[in-house]
Amino acid sequence: AQSVAQPEDQVNVAEGNPLTVKCTYSVSGNPYLFWYVQYPNRGLQFLLKYITGDNLVKGSYGFEAEFNKSQTSFHLKKPSALVSDSALYFCAVRRPGGSYIPTFGRGTSLIVHP
Amino acid sequence: DTEVTQTPKHLVMGMTNKKSLKCEQHMGHRAMYWYKQKAKKPPELMFVYSYEKLSINESVPSRFSPECPNSSLLNLHLHALQPEDSALYLCASSDPLAGGDEQYFGPGTRLTVT
């Protein structure tokens, strides 16, 4: 079985401040981890993924995520938030070697205030 | 071309109507997906086609009927829907030869059942 938890329904941050959106996972073996973003009235867009290698993964739009195996976490980060980053963020996990269908977290709404 | 297109963008239909949603991708991806998404919730997997064959049906009611005419096209035929079927319907594709990995989503069809 595979699952992912996003403990925060909503994250509020001021423009220019660093942001973190949290994600923890549960999967047997080494996970494949993903972050997607969804802007209003749009489909999901892939941001970044961790498969193997460096624990710090860089993605689109200045986002990065840090894989922490001991804490089973994959938090999404950005050094300086923009108002345009306001969107719904989904973490996803899948188990290598199993079905290639990911399991999505419930989503975290990021609101960046001017 | 890394785009998944979906038509129509919006659809309003009565409970006795028959309509179809269409999805197209030209990335050579051999896995295609239909998801249903309610507001501010994660996408719920409905169907998966792998190499044009239906590989996963997540116990979706028979009023939803998927079709994959070729490797680039995916349809979802709708008949006798209920108001609770109103949602954003997302199509996605991925490359199973790359382990599935990230999914590319279309912008979705906003369906309203009256």
Side-chain angles (χ1 to χ4, degrees):
Chain A
Q2 57 195 35
S3 65
V4 63
Q6 293 181 244
E8 302 151 318
D9 275 338
Q10 184 170 303
V11 169
N12 291 279
V13 64
E15 188 173 31
N17 283 0
L19 70 86
T20 299
V21 183
K22 295 180 181 177
C23 172
T24 58
Y25 66 89
S26 174
V27 71
S28 55
N30 294 318
Y32 287 3
L33 294 157
F34 308 84
W35 276 103
Y36 290 85
V37 60
Q38 186 174 29
Y39 298 102
N41 299 311
R42 302 292 298 276
L44 279 68
Q45 292 179 36
F46 168 74
L47 274 180
L48 51 80
K49 67 181 177 184
Y50 172 82
I51 302 297
T52 188
D54 287 342
N55 290 343
L56 187 63
V57 179
K58 294 190 184 298
S60 306
Y61 313 123
F63 284 92
E64 58 189 27
E66 186 169 10
F67 171 64
N68 187 318
K69 188 170 183 177
S70 61
Q71 297 186 4
T72 62
S73 67
F74 190 56
H75 301 331
L76 181 70
K77 301 182 180 186
K78 188 174 183 182
S80 179
L82 300 172
V83 172
S84 57
D85 292 328
S86 299
L88 191 56
Y89 290 80
F90 292 100
C91 183
V93 66
R94 77 168 185 87
R95 180 174 58 87
S99 164
Y100 50 84
I101 312 300
T103 298
F104 288 92
R106 66 175 181 171
T108 297
S109 179
L110 173 67
I111 299 175
V112 181
H113 302 278
Chain B
D1 183 3
T2 59
E3 190 180 22
V4 176
T5 59
Q6 290 187 244
T7 55
K9 284 188 168 57
H10 301 275
L11 178 62
V12 179
M13 59 186 291
M15 290 190 284
T16 58
N17 291 159
K18 286 186 180 180
K19 296 286 185 183
S20 296
L21 309 185
K22 296 186 185 301
C23 173
E24 190 167 6
Q25 57 90 14
H26 294 286
M27 294 177 278
H29 289 170
R30 303 305 294 274
M32 297 185 75
Y33 312 75
W34 280 115
Y35 287 91
K36 173 184 177 181
Q37 187 183 29
K38 292 283 197 179
K40 296 193 181 296
K41 298 292 186 184
E44 300 170 35
L45 185 66
M46 299 175 72
F47 303 104
V48 181
Y49 274 83
S50 178
Y51 294 89
E52 295 88 68
K53 293 191 188 307
L54 183 65
S55 62
I56 294 176
N57 177 340
E58 292 287 310
S59 303
V60 179
S62 59
R63 56 185 184 269
F64 295 90
S65 175
E67 179 195 19
C68 189
N70 60 54
S71 59
S72 300
L73 292 174
L74 187 66
N75 298 322
L76 186 63
H77 303 296
L78 314 173
H79 174 56
L81 295 193
Q82 304 296 308
E84 60 264 29
D85 297 322
S86 298
L88 182 68
Y89 287 83
L90 295 166
C91 173
S93 70
S94 70
D95 181 1
L97 292 178
D101 280 359
E102 66 266 29
Q103 297 184 332
Y104 292 79
F105 284 82
T109 294
R110 177 75 60 189
L111 174 67
T112 303
V113 181
T114 60

